Amino acid sequence: EKKPFSRLPSTVVPVNYNLWLKPCLNQFVFDGKQSINVKVNSATSSVTLNSVDIKIASATFTPDGGATVSSSDISYQVENEKAIIQFPNELATGAGVLEMKFTGELNNKMKGFYRSKYVGGNGEEKFAAVTQFEATDARRCFPCWDPALKATFDTTLVVPKDLVALSNMNVIDESVYSEDAAFKVMKYAQTPVMSTYLLAFVVGEFDYVEDTSSDGVKVRVYTPVGKSVQGQFALEVATKALPFYKDYFDIPYPLAKMDLIAIADFCAGAMENWGLVTYRETALLIDETSSSAHTRQWVALVVSHELAHQWFGNLVTMEWWTHLWLNEGFASFMEYLATDHCHPKFDIWTQFVTHDLVRAMDLDALDNSHPIEIPVGHPDEVDEIFDAISYSKGASVIRMLHNWIGDESFRKGMNAYLKKHAYKNAFTEDLWEALGEASGKPVQQVMTTWTKQMGYPVLDVQIKERTDNSITLSLAQSKFRANSMSKNIGVASLWSIPVSFSSSSSPQHPVKSILFDTRSIDVTIDDVGKDDWVKVNPGTYGFYRKIPTQFTLKKLLAMILPSQNKIGTHQLLIPGASSGVAPTTDFLKALAAYENESDYTVWSDVDGKIGTLFSLLWNNDEAHEEFKKFTLKLMPTADKMGWEPKPTEGHLESMLRSLVIRRMGECGCSNTVAESVKRLSSHVSPFDGHCVLSYMRLGCSKNGERNRIERSLGSAKDPELIKEVLDFAMSERVRSNDRIFVIGSVATRHKIGRDLAWKYTKENWDQLHDMYKGMFLISRLVKNTTENFGTDEMAKDVEVFFDSHPALAAERTVQQSIEQIRQKSDWWKRDGDAICAWL
């Protein structure tokens, strides 16, 4: 049930904020004052701004050329996050200056202006002052029109003289604070016109590395003191990505500098503040002696994602959170383009299919999914749509669009869109208009079918006719459903689908492409012999599924395909099995065909599907053990691959070794377990100089670095050890931004941990909810601790619990988990006996 919501009145709007802040890192408070140049559009005796946990001490208004007037009253609407400044008389229309003094708290909520704890070089506990304003938390730092109305910002920070103080822009003046020589006054250049959620400040102890990009932008990566070398990899990515985006969009980066900084306590992965991008330490720092290939790839993607936002989101900003996907979907697509440019050996586009397209499809097949564009009002609704639909489905349909209209038209349209709406707000339709004009194709007509309705189609493809040199196919589209037994049918959906076909004579390039925008259609493909095959959706660019028949399954398994097509092929099978439109034994037969596979990108996706069956088979211990044995037969053994890297080994080979060691260990391979224990024992021994190489740590201990070690602890199977891990997760020894992931590691590794993690979450719900309410982490907690159940009884248990314990900003996640539990229960009822017999 949506809360009532209305945006701020437009009677008074900001033009420029001149903001002064003095944080106190001992008392966790800050003093502030600001002069806001405003425009009074219509006569009014009050000004309404957004404000949360801010105490406004005084306020005045000075009309252009007139006398200053003090406020007569200042009141707060706490529930609506508003402050109302009342004046004795109406303010005249025109320009004026609104001034105020205020105080606030450096909170411990990881939002607004907050404190981040770290350990200094002498082991002393210290704090930095950090901002996180997206989606609607600038109002926790200063009263403002948050976040839709753009303005410029002149920022001044008063900080201890020995600390680093950063903001969006470059420093234009530094002086001694007149009231206390132990402080310095840092004044920064005026920002471009931008939204409040992009403003940022960081005050603390940091080192940095720096370089200048080929297009002349000074780039710095700020790190914890003594760890500047760990910023070098991110610096290399950033200095390559900035000129790449400049060339791709044909628009220069508009600021003089670009800072990237690692923050100890940080809720999200990163935040694209213009000119000062903040990151979790694990999303920015690379230790060349210990960081794995997975981590290097992750850092490259996250850095590229945030830098894409400097154009798409910062230069042009969505009109309101309804269009959030314009920011996140496009940045998620562009991060792959930039990473592929910087690191072509990552084969990153093949991994996109597993990491984003499939992830989005799994969520979007649920009845409790949502459209890419979803009406958003109250700020409480915003955090819940920072999910796989906005990010991964958004990126996937843009990838489909890019493939359909071609790179040249895509770049031309992007340039026109960014230039037309620079320093302004835009709607989704504005982008479709620009891309449609650039390509000459009906972009808006097609893409609206993908953004305005949830879900996606499944194609039924049948051979209608074959001749000596052609084939005619009959295509029909319908909505794919995660559970074919679902009673929630709803309105029949129809999509405009770009569909491509390849053949045995042209396996990597389409031989025909159509726009399929009716319920059914016949398609004739020429130059196809009687013994040739035809494949729908080569490269897996289309956001749709096709469930193969028994006949086509045999053909598919016999084909030699590029990696993206192999992934696309077995992606057809597990959704068909889980939804009930195809037997699970078909998927098991398909798995057997991968016994000699050596490609990491293929194995990464197969491994994800193995994990899906692992959790399903928790319903039957005997079948679960048989499936482990079956999995061990498929995988290239750790002994065969070798435990040491080869001199010519590349990025993907390292990641495959890590995957194999982890999965073989989980399946109980005695040789793998013994060697892992031996190497881990050697690594942690204070008397032995050996170490576990970084690429292996994910397999041997699930991680060698602190963050990933925490996430590996849930692998313990002893109930007493698991309880100890859960208590550890809630202790001060684990950062608040990591606790959810430690609990999640317990919930997702095996059945014992799943049950204990859910019990622990229920028992500690009040504390957890109070800690993370209104943040995406609460959704992550709900998802991790519930979705691996698979019985109707547990679906009811989850439903009853959340009926009496509402999860703020996670209501949709609760419904999705309940639906997934019931879907898994139906799957087991339908196919359980056949799976057990086959195994």
Side-chain angles (χ1 to χ4, degrees):
E1 186 173 329
K2 290 182 180 287
K3 293 182 179 180
F5 173 76
S6 62
R7 297 201 204 179
L8 294 178
S10 58
T11 50
V12 181
V13 296
V15 177
N16 169 268
Y17 295 81
N18 196 319
L19 178 62
W20 181 99
L21 292 168
K22 182 176 181 288
C24 176
L25 289 167
N26 297 320
Q27 302 299 318
F28 305 139
V29 294
F30 61 88
D31 295 325
K33 55 187 178 182
Q34 61 181 348
S35 298
I36 311 174
N37 291 329
V38 298
K39 180 181 178 184
V40 182
N41 290 319
S42 56
T44 178
S45 60
S46 66
V47 179
T48 303
L49 305 91
N50 293 117
S51 182
V52 177
D53 298 334
I54 297 290
K55 176 66 175 176
I56 302 174
S58 64
T60 64
F61 181 79
T62 306
D64 198 7
T68 299
V69 180
S70 296
S71 61
S72 57
D73 182 59
I74 300 173
S75 60
Y76 304 92
Q77 294 179 358
V78 176
E79 183 70 21
N80 294 321
E81 303 185 345
K82 294 176 182 177
I84 301 169
I85 303 173
Q86 192 72 40
F87 291 93
N89 300 302
E90 285 192 339
L91 309 179
T93 57
V97 178
L98 178 66
E99 296 187 81
M100 62 187 76
K101 294 181 179 180
F102 53 89
T103 57
E105 177 194 9
L106 287 174
N107 67 68
N108 62 350
K109 301 175 181 178
M110 293 186 290
K111 56 186 177 181
F113 201 11
Y114 72 93
R115 61 186 186 265
S116 172
K117 184 169 66 175
Y118 64 98
V119 178
N122 59 0
E124 181 186 357
E125 185 179 272
K126 295 186 176 183
F127 291 88
V130 183
T131 56
Q132 170 59 40
F133 289 164
E134 191 180 32
T136 58
D137 289 307
R139 62 192 66 178
R140 294 178 183 272
C141 180
F142 60 102
C144 56
W145 286 261
D146 185 28
L149 298 184
K150 290 190 170 188
T152 57
F153 296 83
D154 291 272
T155 300
T156 300
L157 298 177
V158 180
V159 302
K161 63 181 182 181
D162 59 336
L163 296 184
V164 173
L166 303 173
S167 189
N168 305 76
M169 306 299 290
N170 51 295
V171 176
I172 57 174
D173 185 63
E174 180 178 340
S175 60
V176 177
Y177 184 41
S178 60
E179 296 183 19
D180 188 341
F183 287 77
K184 60 185 177 182
V185 180
M186 309 290 288
K187 184 171 177 58
Y188 303 88
Q190 186 176 98
T191 70
V193 176
M194 68 183 198
S195 298
T196 52
Y197 79 88
L198 296 171
L199 190 64
F201 338 108
V202 178
V203 180
E205 295 179 316
F206 299 94
D207 283 345
Y208 66 85
V209 288
E210 72 174 351
D211 198 357
T212 301
S213 68
S214 61
D215 52 346
V217 179
K218 180 187 281 188
V219 182
R220 285 182 175 178
V221 176
Y222 285 85
T223 73
V225 173
K227 296 184 178 180
S228 60
V229 68
Q230 294 187 19
Q232 191 62 43
F233 178 74
L235 181 67
E236 293 170 5
V237 173
T239 52
K240 289 180 181 178
L242 281 171
F244 169 79
Y245 287 135
K246 175 200 169 187
D247 294 341
Y248 197 88
F249 298 131
D250 196 21
I251 296 173
Y253 173 69
L255 306 189
K257 60 94 173 175
M258 167 54 69
D259 294 334
L260 299 81
I261 186 165
I263 304 299
D265 290 317
F266 198 76
C267 178
M271 175 61 210
E272 67 267 21
N273 316 298
W274 215 347
L276 176 57
V277 183
T278 45
Y279 295 81
R280 272 181 180 244
E281 291 182 348
T282 54
L284 188 68
L285 305 181
I286 291 293
D287 186 336
E288 294 295 343
T289 66
S290 65
S291 296
S292 68
H294 292 85
T295 305
R296 294 175 70 88
Q297 182 173 292
W298 168 243
V299 168
L301 287 168
V302 176
V303 169
S304 299
H305 179 104
E306 303 309 325
L307 296 188
H309 274 309
Q310 307 303 302
W311 285 263
F312 226 101
N314 298 7
L315 181 64
V316 179
T317 309
M318 72 255 162
E319 194 277 335
W320 188 245
W321 301 108
T322 295
H323 308 276
L324 171 71
W325 88 281
L326 270 181
N327 277 19
E328 301 304 346
F330 265 84
S332 297
F333 171 75
M334 293 304 302
E335 74 184 58
Y336 280 86
L337 275 181
T339 300
D340 188 52
H341 169 77
C342 296
H343 296 280
K345 291 183 179 179
F346 283 7
D347 191 16
I348 203 69
W349 277 116
T350 303
Q351 297 183 61
F352 176 92
V353 177
T354 301
H355 294 167
D356 284 272
L357 184 141
V358 172
R359 176 170 170 252
M361 282 186 159
D362 288 346
L363 181 59
D364 204 30
L366 299 175
D367 292 336
N368 285 287
S369 181
H370 65 83
I372 286 177
E373 279 193 81
I374 182 170
V376 171
H378 196 280
D380 285 350
E381 300 167 23
V382 179
D383 281 317
E384 199 165 14
I385 61 169
F386 282 85
D387 64 1
I389 301 301
S390 295
Y391 284 76
S392 296
K393 183 181 179 181
S396 297
V397 299
I398 292 160
R399 175 173 172 264
M400 178 174 66
L401 169 65
H402 174 268
N403 184 64
W404 177 48
I405 68 174
D407 187 67
E408 183 179 348
S409 293
F410 188 82
R411 293 174 73 158
K412 181 180 176 183
M414 294 283 282
N415 173 263
Y417 167 81
L418 290 169
K419 282 186 173 178
K420 181 177 181 179
H421 301 283
Y423 306 107
K424 300 173 188 173
N425 300 85
F427 295 84
T428 298
E429 289 74 17
D430 297 322
L431 179 63
W432 297 157
E433 180 183 5
L435 292 171
E437 289 178 359
S439 65
K441 292 188 175 183
V443 171
Q444 180 149 332
Q445 171 195 325
V446 170
M447 296 308 294
T448 296
T449 68
W450 295 96
T451 61
K452 300 287 189 184
Q453 61 183 346
M454 73 179 192
Y456 57 89
V458 57
L459 302 192
D460 178 20
V461 182
Q462 303 292 335
I463 299 173
K464 184 174 183 180
E465 184 181 0
R466 292 199 80 139
T467 68
D468 289 341
N469 63 352
S470 70
I471 186 171
T472 300
L473 303 175
S474 293
L475 278 65
Q477 63 163 295
S478 58
K479 186 178 187 299
F480 181 81
R481 313 182 68 80
N483 189 351
S484 60
M485 298 170 69
S486 170
K487 299 183 177 68
N488 185 10
I489 300 302
V491 179
S493 303
L494 185 67
W495 287 266
S496 293
I497 315 169
V499 180
S500 296
F501 306 85
S502 65
S503 67
S504 48
S505 60
S506 180
Q508 303 218 38
H509 301 286
V511 293
K512 190 178 185 71
S513 298
I514 64 167
L515 184 63
F516 179 22
D517 56 3
T518 56
R519 295 283 172 204
S520 60
I521 191 173
D522 289 346
V523 181
T524 298
I525 304 168
D526 296 323
D527 300 320
V528 176
K530 279 197 169 183
D531 295 326
D532 290 348
W533 53 257
V534 170
K535 187 179 188 305
V536 182
N537 200 16
T540 322
Y541 288 99
F543 196 76
Y544 56 85
R545 296 197 191 275
K546 179 195 172 295
I547 308 301
T549 63
Q550 288 289 328
F551 173 77
T552 55
L553 176 61
K554 291 179 182 177
K555 291 281 187 184
L556 285 167
L557 296 181
M559 288 159 56
I560 299 174
L561 295 169
S563 296
Q564 284 191 29
N565 286 337
K566 283 183 180 177
I567 293 171
T569 297
H570 72 254
Q571 280 301 338
L572 304 173
L573 297 167
I574 192 71
S578 62
S579 65
V581 299
T584 307
T585 49
D586 279 1
F587 175 65
L588 293 168
K589 293 172 187 173
L591 273 183
Y594 288 89
E595 187 167 348
N596 296 313
E597 181 59 57
S598 60
D599 186 296
Y600 166 75
T601 56
V602 175
W603 260 116
S604 175
D605 196 57
V606 170
D607 185 66
K609 300 300 165 280
I610 288 172
T612 299
L613 279 181
F614 258 54
S615 64
L616 176 70
L617 292 170
W618 286 347
N619 283 313
N620 185 298
D621 291 342
E622 183 180 351
H624 192 239
E625 290 304 313
E626 291 297 329
F627 186 61
K628 286 181 182 179
K629 295 175 186 176
F630 173 64
T631 301
L632 288 175
K633 287 172 60 180
L634 299 181
M635 304 199 79
T637 67
D639 293 337
K640 179 180 177 181
M641 291 188 64
W643 286 76
E644 304 294 340
K646 300 175 179 65
T648 58
E649 184 168 286
H651 172 79
L652 296 177
E653 288 87 350
S654 293
M655 296 216 294
L656 178 60
R657 180 179 286 105
S658 173
L659 182 154
V660 167
I661 291 170
R662 174 185 55 78
R663 183 58 78 185
M664 293 196 74
E666 290 178 349
C667 288
C669 172
S670 56
N671 288 349
T672 304
V673 172
E675 184 66 19
S676 294
V677 169
K678 173 185 170 185
R679 288 173 179 258
L680 182 60
S681 298
S682 176
H683 176 70
V684 300
S685 170
F687 307 109
D688 195 319
H690 295 90
C691 70
V692 180
L693 293 168
S694 60
Y695 67 84
M696 269 192 254
R697 293 186 179 182
L698 189 59
C700 292
S701 67
K702 290 287 176 71
N703 223 315
E705 298 154 354
R706 176 190 178 94
N707 185 258
R708 287 183 296 165
I709 287 174
E710 290 173 345
R711 300 185 193 199
S712 77
L713 297 176
S715 297
K717 295 183 176 64
D718 183 330
E720 292 305 313
L721 280 178
I722 293 172
K723 291 173 185 175
E724 198 172 328
V725 170
L726 291 167
D727 288 336
F728 169 76
M730 296 298 289
S731 73
E732 288 300 312
R733 296 169 64 194
V734 176
R735 291 191 177 279
S736 58
N737 58 336
D738 292 327
R739 286 176 181 143
I740 297 299
F741 301 101
V742 179
I743 296 170
S745 80
V746 173
T748 55
R749 294 290 190 266
H750 47 70
K751 184 166 65 173
I752 300 169
R754 176 198 65 183
D755 297 345
L756 289 173
W758 174 233
K759 180 175 182 288
Y760 189 87
T761 299
K762 290 192 290 184
E763 290 170 349
N764 293 274
W765 177 255
D766 290 343
Q767 182 183 358
L768 286 162
H769 188 252
D770 184 61
M771 196 179 296
Y772 300 113
K773 65 184 176 185
M775 300 164 65
F776 86 96
L777 287 174
I778 199 71
S779 292
R780 189 68 60 85
L781 175 67
V782 170
K783 174 180 167 64
N784 285 345
T785 56
T786 61
E787 69 176 359
N788 285 306
F789 290 109
T791 65
D792 293 336
E793 292 76 17
M794 286 311 303
K796 189 65 177 175
D797 184 73
V798 173
E799 186 174 41
V800 168
F801 178 78
F802 285 113
D803 279 347
S804 57
H805 299 80
L808 186 63
E811 292 91 343
R812 181 178 283 109
T813 305
V814 170
Q815 295 307 313
Q816 289 169 346
S817 284
I818 294 168
E819 182 181 348
Q820 286 174 314
I821 296 169
R822 290 189 170 128
Q823 178 256 341
K824 202 174 293 182
S825 174
D826 288 341
W827 184 6
W828 185 252
K829 292 174 191 172
R830 184 177 59 245
D831 269 12
D833 289 344
I835 293 170
C836 292
W838 192 92
L839 289 170

